[in-house]
Amino acid sequence: MKKIIFIDVDGTLVDYEGHLPESAVKAIRQARNNGHRVYICTGRSKAEVYPNLWDIGLDGMIGGNGSYVEDHGHVVLHQLITADQCRRIVDWLHSRKLEFYLESNNGLFASEQFAQKAQPVMVEYSRRKGKADADSTTVASAFPDMIYDGELYRDDLNKVSYILNSYQDFLDTKEQFPDMANGTWGGAGEIALFGDLGVKGITKANAIEALLKHLGADREDTMAFGDAKIDIPMLEYCNVGIAMGSGGPEIKEMADYITDGVDEDGLYNAFVKFGLIEKE
C-alpha cells in the first residue's frame, strides 16, 4: 500500500544549522520513485522553503503550522490573519516595545529594531540547539531573506513571531488576543525566547485532514515524522508517528517509533525500517 508521508523540517528533515543530510534526500527521492507521496509539514511559511528543499522533489507542503496547504502547486487551503488582526498586533507590539517579524508566503517582514534586538536572542537559540559555533550566529544567517523596510500592515500573514523581553509579555499578549492562537518557541514556559500569534484553531493535524480530503486518501495510509512538541498533533493524527532521536522528550514519549537523530541518517533509517525504500 502506498503511503502519504509528512515530514517536519527544522530538527527533522534538516538539523538546526540548516544542514540537509544527503541520506534524507536519497530516502525521499527513492520513496517517491516507489509511488509514495511526500509532503513537508512545517512552521515555516512558503517564503522560508528554500530551493534546496524543493530540489529534493516533493509533492507539496503544509506551512505556517497548518495555515497553508499546497499539493503540486495547487493551493488546497490558506487561512490568513485578517488585515484588522494584523493592524492590532503591530500596534500592540509597538506599544509594548516588542520587536517582531511577520511571516507570509511573500516574505518575512521585520520590525524597525528587530535585527539589533534579535542578535543576542538568536545566539541563545543556537546555543540551546547545540550549535557548535553558536556565538557566531547572526540574524542575517538565521533569516537570510528577511525584509527590513517592508509594509507592516498586511493582509497576507500566516503567523507573527515576537521577541519576549519577559514571559509576562506572552501572558499579556495572550490576554489581549483571545481571538488568535498564542504560543511560544525557543524554550518552554519562562525560558521561552519568542511568542507567536496565528490563526486560531490551526494545527498540522487539521491541515493534513484537509489535504487527505482533497486527495481522496485514507488516514490509515499516513505517516508523520517530527521532533518537537508542536509536531505531536501531527503524529497523533497520522496512522504511524515517528519521532527523531534528536527530538524532545514529549514527542518521544508518545511516538509509535523513535528513529535515529537527524544527523545520524534518522529519516533514511526509518524509511528502510517501514519498507518505504530498500537499503542500498
Side-chain angles (χ1 to χ4, degrees), residues 37-245:
R37 292 175 176 265
V38 180
Y39 297 84
I40 54 173
C41 194
T42 175
R44 298 188 188 195
S45 294
K46 190 172 182 179
E48 299 171 90
V49 180
Y50 303 117
N52 69 318
L53 298 184
W54 288 118
D55 289 346
I56 298 171
L58 298 167
D59 289 282
M61 70 170 289
I62 291 172
N65 284 330
S67 67
Y68 179 75
V69 181
E70 179 181 307
D71 174 49
H72 291 278
H74 172 74
V75 178
V76 176
L77 173 72
H78 198 183
Q79 295 180 267
L80 295 167
I81 293 172
T82 69
D84 177 65
Q85 286 173 326
C86 175
R87 181 176 290 273
R88 289 194 292 118
I89 292 166
V90 169
D91 289 349
W92 165 260
L93 295 176
H94 275 147
S95 74
R96 295 286 297 232
K97 295 182 168 52
L98 299 174
E99 300 302 324
F100 59 90
Y101 65 96
L102 311 176
E103 304 178 44
S104 92
N105 287 358
N106 297 312
L108 304 182
F109 301 89
S111 61
E112 295 79 359
Q113 301 299 317
F114 180 81
Q116 175 185 347
K117 294 292 180 65
Q119 180 59 38
V121 181
M122 295 315 301
V123 168
E124 177 60 22
Y125 182 71
S126 296
R127 285 178 183 154
R128 294 181 183 183
K129 294 301 179 183
K131 191 173 179 181
D133 57 346
D135 289 347
S136 65
T137 300
T138 65
V139 175
S141 66
F143 303 102
D145 296 328
M146 186 75 80
I147 299 167
Y148 293 98
D149 56 356
E151 175 59 57
L152 297 180
Y153 292 146
R154 310 187 61 85
D155 61 1
D156 60 351
L157 298 187
N158 301 319
K159 287 168 51 190
V160 178
S161 288
Y162 58 97
I163 298 172
L164 294 172
N165 294 332
S166 72
Y167 191 64
Q168 190 62 46
D169 291 324
F170 163 70
L171 296 176
D172 291 346
T173 301
K174 183 178 181 180
E175 183 178 0
Q176 184 73 14
F177 295 96
D179 57 324
M180 310 207 60
N182 286 263
T184 61
W185 56 277
E190 295 191 3
I191 66 168
L193 298 172
F194 284 86
D196 62 31
L197 290 147
V199 179
K200 195 163 188 174
I202 289 296
T203 69
K204 291 182 177 183
N206 292 340
I208 291 172
E209 185 175 30
L211 178 60
L212 293 179
K213 183 177 181 181
H214 166 74
L215 296 174
D218 197 318
R219 181 175 172 181
E220 290 184 2
D221 298 325
T222 58
M223 302 179 67
F225 292 78
D227 76 304
K229 191 173 181 179
I230 198 166
D231 299 319
I232 288 176
M234 172 174 72
L235 268 66
E236 287 178 334
Y237 181 84
C238 289
N239 189 45
V240 178
I242 301 167
M244 305 303 290

